[in-house]
Amino acid sequence: MAAISCHCAVPSKKVSPSSSSSALFTTLLSRCSRFSAVSVPSRASRGRISCQISSSAATSPPPPSSVNVPAKAGMEDFLHISDFDKATIMKILDRAAEVKAVIKSGDRAFLPFKGKTMAMIFAKPSMRTRVSFETGFFLLGGHAIYLGPDDIQMGKREETCDVARVLSRYNDIIMARVFAHQDILDLAKHATVPVINGLTDYNHPCQIMADALTIIEHVGRLEGTKVVYVGDGNNIVHSWLLLAAVIPFHFVCACPKGFEPDAKTVQKAQQAGISKIEITNDPQEAVRGADVVYSDVWASMGQKEEAAHRRQVFQGFQVDENLMKLAGPKAYFMHCLPAERGVEVTDGVIEAPNSIVFPQAENRMHAQNAIMLHALGL
């Protein structure tokens, strides 16, 4: 059955109680400007929903609630680290350290998010992302709303553009952890409040901001350091490459052949001419002289069916005590977690004194607080 929409001018004059219901109906019906039939797709054609206007609807003027997206005056999305210049990234990191100090002091008077709400969309579940965002937003006075994988089914049960518009009317900021990178781009395009990228299959900017903060705290600087990632050329690597396009440091990705990071992202980082970028298949050579050796799971969420195959291919890429010895006594170990102990990293390495994985995990909250403050213009 086709859905019918009616655009009516409702009478401004109140109808007296004595007026008959039929007369009221006739009055309203006579004021209808038009009826427009909208076709409904058959079940067979239903799948992933995208925001597209039919050719018939395209010729009609937009309804009073315009779909045009207003500019986010004084506010910014946080989708890729490379969307910002060096000064802005360093300003956010400095702010993260400042806000962290306030929170760690026990002072609860700093409440910049008081009266504000955040919608948190989780197509991909996560302990660290949920707890760090929700706790951080609460500690600074705000209220966060968790929307799990079955609450929205963005792009399936409801169009992403509609989700963005609706949540923008309820909330001051949106954070989303999704699979397809296009989903975060579509959310940001149609939302009228800032959108924070909590992770996509392409990149994970909040994680790398937390990593940068952790390196500054322990190494003493970010610029000029050597960061060596050992493992799959995944979204973590892409985010490191995008940071290397903004901040000067030496980044090396050591991965098996066929598991290199996205070539266009590598090219973007190299063409920026800011950092030294290396992609290699030799982890032993890569880690020499490293300030940080970084690892991640070999099979990410959505790749678990490949786990057994990847364990075979990634032999020789485990970060163990011998690899850390090659890196040198001053090298720190980092991991974005969760870790598969005994697979990409040994227990000995993750529990060693130079492992900073847990300060790194804590810094997710502090880096994200600073990102949200920046995004909201606070």
Side-chain angles (χ1 to χ4, degrees):
M1 177 178 178
I4 301 175
S5 63
C6 174
H7 301 269
C8 303
V10 180
S12 59
K13 184 174 71 174
K14 293 182 179 178
V15 179
S16 65
S18 60
S19 299
S20 66
S21 58
S22 60
L24 176 60
F25 177 77
T26 302
T27 301
L28 288 173
L29 187 61
S30 65
R31 303 238 179 151
C32 286
S33 59
R34 66 181 183 275
F35 289 90
S36 58
V38 180
S39 61
V40 177
S42 65
R43 289 185 180 273
S45 66
R46 290 176 188 172
R48 181 172 181 81
I49 305 174
S50 61
C51 299
Q52 295 180 342
I53 301 174
S54 65
S55 58
S56 59
T59 60
S60 304
S65 56
S66 174
V67 298
N68 295 328
V69 181
K72 302 175 187 181
M75 300 183 292
E76 291 186 89
D77 301 315
F78 195 85
L79 308 180
H80 320 88
I81 291 177
S82 56
D83 292 338
F84 303 90
D85 60 19
K86 177 185 174 182
T88 303
I89 293 298
M90 296 309 299
K91 179 182 177 182
I92 294 172
L93 291 172
D94 288 342
R95 191 80 185 279
E98 292 169 5
V99 176
K100 177 179 179 177
V102 171
I103 290 175
K104 300 286 276 187
S105 74
D107 182 359
R108 295 294 180 263
F110 182 57
L111 302 172
F113 298 147
K114 186 176 181 180
K116 296 188 182 296
T117 60
M118 170 172 59
M120 303 189 302
I121 300 172
F122 282 84
K124 279 186 175 184
S126 169
M127 178 183 77
R128 267 156 299 280
T129 300
R130 177 179 179 179
V131 176
S132 60
F133 267 106
E134 191 166 339
T135 302
F137 204 66
F138 169 77
L139 288 175
L140 299 189
H143 175 67
I145 302 162
Y146 174 79
L147 299 166
D150 296 327
D151 293 324
I152 295 181
Q153 296 182 24
M154 192 170 64
K156 295 180 180 178
R157 191 170 72 186
E158 187 166 4
E159 298 179 11
T160 301
C161 56
D162 291 349
V163 170
R165 293 189 189 100
V166 171
L167 291 180
S168 293
R169 290 171 181 263
Y170 298 146
N171 300 278
D172 300 280
I173 190 168
I174 298 169
M175 185 282 296
R177 178 181 168 95
V178 297
F179 286 91
H181 192 64
Q182 189 60 46
D183 285 344
I184 202 76
L185 299 180
D186 289 343
L187 269 176
K189 177 181 178 181
H190 295 282
T192 54
V193 298
V195 172
I196 308 298
N197 179 355
L199 173 142
T200 71
D201 284 346
Y202 173 68
N203 71 339
H204 197 354
C206 290
Q207 177 66 59
I208 269 52
M209 290 293 284
D211 297 343
L213 176 62
T214 308
I215 291 172
I216 291 170
E217 288 177 341
H218 289 81
V219 179
R221 69 191 192 285
L222 176 59
E223 290 190 42
T225 58
K226 181 179 180 181
V227 177
V228 180
Y229 175 96
V230 180
D232 182 31
N234 58 16
N235 52 3
I236 292 292
V237 177
H238 296 155
S239 293
W240 273 113
L241 289 166
L242 294 178
L243 179 63
V246 180
I247 307 291
F249 63 98
H250 183 185
F251 179 70
V252 186
C253 173
C255 54
K257 291 181 179 179
F259 292 88
E260 292 86 358
D262 174 64
K264 289 183 179 179
T265 307
V266 174
Q267 185 180 38
K268 178 177 180 176
Q270 291 174 332
Q271 289 181 344
I274 292 173
S275 299
K276 182 178 180 180
I277 307 294
E278 293 183 85
I279 310 298
T280 179
N281 306 122
D282 185 348
Q284 286 77 22
E285 186 60 33
V287 300
R288 295 183 188 276
D291 293 291
V292 171
V293 177
Y294 196 115
S295 185
D296 190 10
V297 292
W298 291 342
S300 300
M301 195 177 298
Q303 299 174 327
K304 296 306 179 183
E305 68 281 357
E306 304 174 24
H309 169 67
R310 284 174 175 250
R311 287 194 184 193
Q312 295 294 324
V313 176
F314 281 74
Q315 290 298 312
F317 287 83
Q318 182 187 70
V319 179
D320 57 17
E321 290 81 348
N322 290 330
L323 196 65
M324 290 303 295
K325 284 180 182 177
L326 289 175
K330 295 183 179 180
Y332 289 102
F333 175 72
M334 299 179 74
H335 194 300
C336 53
L337 301 179
E340 292 192 68
R341 294 175 180 235
V343 181
E344 76 273 3
V345 60
T346 62
D347 269 322
V349 168
I350 208 168
E351 296 292 351
N354 60 339
S355 169
I356 51 176
V357 298
F358 298 110
Q360 176 188 4
E362 178 190 341
N363 279 340
R364 282 288 301 276
M365 182 174 74
H366 305 303
Q368 290 161 186
N369 279 343
I371 288 167
M372 291 187 288
L373 286 168
H374 177 80
L376 288 166
L378 298 174

